[in-house]
């Protein structure tokens, strides 16, 4: 097995274009894994009165808030997304590829896997209701499945708007976020106004990524300013501004830093982006190791599949556990002690094993359809050039050379 893996890793390494910036793929993989592990650690399902209820260890153990600082990595994903989209669109224009064809390729890669999740959970929800399951149980499960999809909608909208926002200064959406928060929290404005920040808040790291694609972070000083300024702003906003310390939503909390994004969450994202830009060099050196690079490349190939099915994996383990007991520690019990955390850590490999099964079953939906791939290859060949080094591409040895 080791020899086969080593051989595959060597083929992937040789097939990767020399000019590809592997640190970009590493940052994307880090962002996806952060979201997955974060959800598995701060999301819990408790069984009681014949129903499942969603909760979080952050409700009863607020001292765990620093955990959210490690695993709330969406800003890094938007940073990389803006970088790749800006480079990809510039490359498409240079090749003579139309905006419609370019955006169709990118959005297709996002939404093909979504169709599989929606179809399966529509059937599961209908089956549960017809089988007599409580509506509260079905609603809890569907909320866990659907709630992360807001991220894809925002990401897709920003991707489609890349030609309009690629050269936008991050200062402008940051100013919008600040103005909305002052209106909501300082001037008594309506809370629904905060949803403006869903677009403006994630536009900040996205436009930073586009600026990165233009060479704005060639030196270390801008990244250091982002890291230091963002971190200082977060501390000030939490300590003196009254913002929550948790960078994810906490059930029952009066204010969420994430839904919708607040100025504190955006400042935290700036610090994260600064740190990500600072570690590009070390990451690139680590990615020169064939076995390490192969793991990152394979994860990037199915990043959306992993993201879309990780909650289903956790719920499947939780449901199957009910066949054994309705009181399994770290799985069905109330997350109210350090013991729960220790027990939950033991369940993570089980979640990962079930996620691997989901990945094997559904990753095909993330790959281009044969006819689409053939048409794209024909247009690319006619244009006379391959993808730019920043364009996201598939990872297996027979496919990564197209990236």
């Amino acid at each position: 097995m080791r020899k086969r893996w080593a051989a595959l890793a060597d083929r992937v390494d040789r097939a990767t274009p020399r000019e590809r910036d592997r640190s970009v793929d590493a940052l994307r993989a880090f962002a996806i894994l952060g979201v997955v592990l974060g959800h598995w650690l701060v999301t819990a399902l408790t069984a009681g009165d014949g129903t499942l209820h969603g909760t979080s260890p952050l409700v009863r153990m607020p001292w765990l808030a620093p955990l959210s600082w490690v695993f709330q990595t969406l800003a890094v994903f938007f940073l990389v997304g803006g970088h790749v989209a800006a480079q990809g669109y510039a490359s498409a224009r240079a090749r003579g590829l139309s905006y419609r064809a370019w955006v169709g390729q990118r959005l297709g890669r996002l939404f093909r896997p979504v169709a599989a999740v929606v179809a399966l959970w529509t059937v599961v929800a209908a089956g549960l209701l017809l089988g007599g399951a409580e509506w509260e149980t079905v609603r809890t499960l569907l909320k866990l499945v659907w709630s992360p999809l807001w991220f894809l909608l925002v990401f897709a909208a920003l991707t489609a708007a890349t030609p309009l926002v690629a050269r936008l200064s991050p200062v402008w959406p940051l100013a919008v976020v600040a103005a909305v928060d002052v209106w909501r929290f300082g001037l008594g404005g309506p809370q629904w106004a905060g949803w403006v920040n869903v677009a403006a808040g994630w536009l900040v790291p996205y436009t930073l990524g586009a600026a990165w694609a233009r060479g704005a972070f060639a030196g270390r000083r801008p990244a250091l300013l982002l890291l230091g300024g963002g971190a200082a702003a977060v501390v000030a906003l939490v300590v003196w501004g009254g913002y929550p310390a948790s960078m994810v939503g906490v059930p029952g909390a009066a204010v969420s830093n994430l839904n919708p994004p607040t100025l504190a969450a955006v400042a935290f994202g700036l610090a994260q982006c600064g740190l990500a830009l600072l570690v590009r060099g070390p990451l690139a050196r680590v990615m020169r190791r064939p076995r390490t690079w192969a793991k990152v490349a394979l994860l990037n190939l199915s990043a959306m599949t992993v993201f879309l099915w990780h909650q289903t994996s956790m719920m499947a383990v939780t449901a199957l556990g009910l066949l054994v007991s309705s009181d399994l520690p770290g799985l069905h019990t109330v997350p109210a002690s350090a013991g729960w955390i220790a027990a939950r850590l033991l369940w993570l490999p089980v979640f990962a094993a079930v996620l691997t099964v989901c990945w094997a079953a559904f990753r095909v939906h993330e790959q281009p359809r044969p006819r689409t791939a053939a048409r794209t290859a024909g247009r690319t060949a006619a244009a006379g050039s391959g993808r730019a080094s920043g364009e996201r591409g598939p990872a297996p040895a027979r496919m990564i050379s197209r990236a």
Side-chain angles (χ1 to χ4, degrees), residues 29-378:
F30 165 78
I32 287 293
L33 289 178
V35 171
V36 170
L37 291 175
H39 280 159
W40 285 352
L41 288 171
V42 303
T43 303
L45 290 170
T46 58
D49 301 325
T51 62
L52 289 175
H53 304 277
T55 186
S56 169
L58 295 172
V59 174
R60 294 173 177 82
M61 295 181 285
W63 51 269
L64 285 176
L67 194 67
S68 68
W69 306 345
V70 177
F71 295 108
Q72 207 291 75
T73 52
L74 285 176
V76 176
F77 197 97
F78 279 93
L79 172 77
V80 172
H83 174 80
V84 172
Q87 281 199 338
Y89 181 63
S91 173
R93 291 187 62 187
R95 303 196 314 266
L97 194 67
S98 69
Y99 165 78
R100 181 177 179 181
W102 173 80
V103 78
Q105 291 172 23
R106 296 200 64 82
L107 296 188
R109 182 70 183 272
L110 284 176
F111 287 119
R112 275 193 300 271
V114 173
V117 175
V118 171
L120 183 138
W121 273 99
T122 298
V123 173
V124 169
L128 288 173
L129 291 173
L130 291 174
E134 294 287 338
W135 166 245
E136 179 63 24
T137 294
V138 178
R139 188 188 71 84
T140 297
L141 297 178
L142 289 179
K143 183 178 179 181
L144 289 177
V145 174
W146 305 139
S147 57
L149 296 185
W150 68 263
F151 145 81
L152 287 182
L153 294 176
V154 177
F155 190 79
L158 295 183
T159 298
T162 295
L164 297 177
V165 303
R167 292 190 173 273
L168 181 69
S169 170
V171 171
W172 295 111
L174 179 61
V176 170
V177 173
V180 168
D181 273 18
V182 169
W183 188 22
R184 283 200 298 160
F185 302 132
L187 303 177
Q191 290 304 303
W192 57 259
W195 294 105
V196 173
N197 287 351
V198 172
W202 299 116
L203 188 56
V204 174
Y206 194 86
T207 52
L208 282 173
W212 173 18
R214 299 194 302 270
F217 296 98
R220 292 175 58 85
R221 185 175 179 181
L224 283 169
L225 289 174
L226 280 178
L227 174 58
V234 171
V235 171
L237 290 169
V238 171
V239 174
W240 296 294
Y243 286 86
S246 173
M247 291 300 147
V248 299
V250 179
V255 176
S256 167
N257 271 325
L258 196 57
N259 297 311
T262 63
L263 184 59
V266 174
F268 178 77
L270 290 175
Q272 272 192 331
C273 291
L275 180 60
L277 292 166
L278 285 172
V279 301
R280 285 178 297 157
L283 275 179
R285 289 190 290 273
V286 171
M287 290 301 109
R288 291 173 190 164
R289 303 170 186 169
R291 296 188 186 187
T292 304
W293 165 240
K295 294 173 185 176
V296 168
L298 289 170
L299 176 57
N300 273 278
L301 175 61
S302 303
M304 284 298 99
T305 302
V306 171
F307 174 81
L308 290 170
W309 290 96
H310 74 278
Q311 292 284 59
T312 297
S313 303
M314 182 194 71
M315 289 185 285
V317 173
T318 303
L320 291 173
L322 290 172
L323 300 176
V324 178
S325 170
S326 62
D327 199 33
L328 290 175
L331 199 62
H332 308 126
T333 54
V334 176
S337 67
W340 184 92
I341 299 171
R344 175 50 66 103
L345 290 174
L346 295 177
W347 285 107
L348 295 188
V350 184
F351 297 162
V354 176
L355 178 56
T356 301
V357 174
C358 293
W359 169 82
F362 297 104
R363 66 188 176 91
V364 65
H365 299 287
E366 196 165 348
Q367 306 311 315
R369 295 174 181 174
R371 293 182 181 179
T372 303
R375 288 197 299 268
T376 301

